[in-house]
Amino acid sequence: MMDISFVILLSLVAIVIGGVLGALVTKVRTNHALERAHQTASDITSQAALDAENSKKTALVEARDESQRYQDRIERELQERRSEVKASEERLVSRESVLDRKDASLQKREEVISAKEVKLDQQRQSVTDQQKHAEKLVAEREETLVKVASMSHDEARELVLTETRDALLKERAVLIKESEEQASAEAEKRAKNLVVQAIQRSAADMVAETTVSVVTLPNDDMKGRIIGREGRNIRAIETVTGIDLIIDDTPEAVVLSGFDPVRREIAKNALEKLIADGRIHPARIEEMVEKARKEMDEHIREVGEQTVFDLGIHNLHPDLIKTVGRMNYRTSYGQNVLVHSIEVAKLTGMLAAELGEDVTLAKRAGLLHDIGKAIDHEVDGSHVELGVELATKYGERPVIINTIASHHGDVEPESVIAVLVAAADSISAARPGARSESLENYVQRLQQLETIANGFSGVEKSFAIQAGREVRVIVEPAAVSDLETTVIARDIKNQIEHDLDYPGHIKVTVIRESRSVEYAK
């Protein structure tokens, strides 16, 4: 009985233990399942957050791209509208300019028409007065005929004698006029012979100046040294001399371009010295240009002395001799002024010799008649006014002063020599090929560009280069600030547009440079 109870008890214990173990196993499995569920949920949440972040970034990128595309489209539309507005403004400015020119033309036409109307009124009045005078003469003649019909013999004789005397006086006046015309023709014929003889005895060369000079190089490698690193050497040369350097494919040659022959010659001499020396850098360039300027001053003086010596002119003031030398680097309608003056001096001397005048004085007057052209690009005034001032300043005789003042007809000539100089000047200028109108206009435009730039406050010097397509203006750094350079450039641009007519565009470059130099001793 006990054994059965024990077995039952063991069975119950085993059942209880099995149930507990089963519950434990079920709980463990349940916990594992819950952990896997939590992990899966966590992974799904992380993936969802990541996907949401990626979607957000993608949306932001697309939104930015769309915004940029919209902004670009708006800017393009604004740019197109600005271009259209600018084009409209330009068209309006052009139309205003055309209208201004038409207004000016209409005003001139109205002035011409008014002048013609005044002239016609005067002519009508003159015709009316003449008609009245004719009617008066007819009436007087009729009265005279009436009187003759009732005259005595002596009265009729006196009337006939009076009319005969008047007729003879008229014939005498006609004879005197014919004699004067014949004498004038003979004098003109003799004058032509004198001029022809003088021209035949004067073997003058045809003169035509250019605006370029060529410097020969030892090799093409020298071109790179002239240009320098990043172009600093060529910029230094152009800035200091005001001459444009043209370096192209021409073998072993550099072209110097500039309208001022003195500047061009200085640049040529300085460049030749730099090539011979081999050391080419900005400081050396400035040194050589300054040296070339001094040598040019000496050369100008020597040219003046040689000219005066060749013509046999004495007692000329030293400063006036140097001014004569400067004429070698000036042109008038493409004709070298010094060569032209020498030619006029020789022609005047020959004409004076034929007429028995003072040959030396005639040569002196012929040489100095255009002396004002040596400085007319530096001082305001015509070359006639400047020439008279120079001759007066250096104590020239009144005959010379009057010759200078009258050789273009501004005043009346007071001597035979003044008339001869005017004739010789016309002969020299009228030779075929002696002068070129287009070159003179070109040089005048370049001079006007520099004159406009030099007229602004703070400008130290200016250079017209690139055949007049650019003006480089160097300002005083102490008087002009960096911000003011922009204002000066714009003001010069506006002044050029107002004063000059030109094709294409003109570039205005304002340069402000400060330097500090000390010497260690």
Side-chain angles (χ1 to χ4, degrees), residues 171-222:
E171 291 181 2
R172 182 184 177 189
V174 171
L175 289 174
I176 291 173
K177 185 177 180 181
E178 291 178 351
S179 299
E180 289 179 349
E181 291 177 353
Q182 185 177 1
S184 177
E186 291 293 334
E188 184 177 358
K189 182 178 179 181
R190 186 164 183 264
K192 288 181 179 179
N193 290 332
L194 291 176
V195 171
V196 170
Q197 291 177 10
I199 293 175
Q200 288 176 345
R201 292 167 60 187
S202 175
D205 297 330
M206 305 290 278
V207 179
E209 296 292 327
T210 61
T211 59
V212 297
S213 299
V214 179
V215 176
T216 304
L217 304 179
N219 51 66
D220 285 338
D221 294 339
M222 186 61 67

Side-chain angles (χ1 to χ4, degrees), residues 93-117:
V93 171
S94 177
R95 290 178 182 174
E96 289 178 358
S97 177
V98 172
L99 290 175
D100 291 339
R101 288 196 295 269
K102 288 183 178 179
D103 289 341
S105 177
L106 290 174
Q107 187 175 0
K108 290 182 179 178
R109 290 182 181 178
E110 290 178 357
E111 293 175 355
V112 171
I113 292 172
S114 300
K116 287 183 177 179
E117 289 178 351

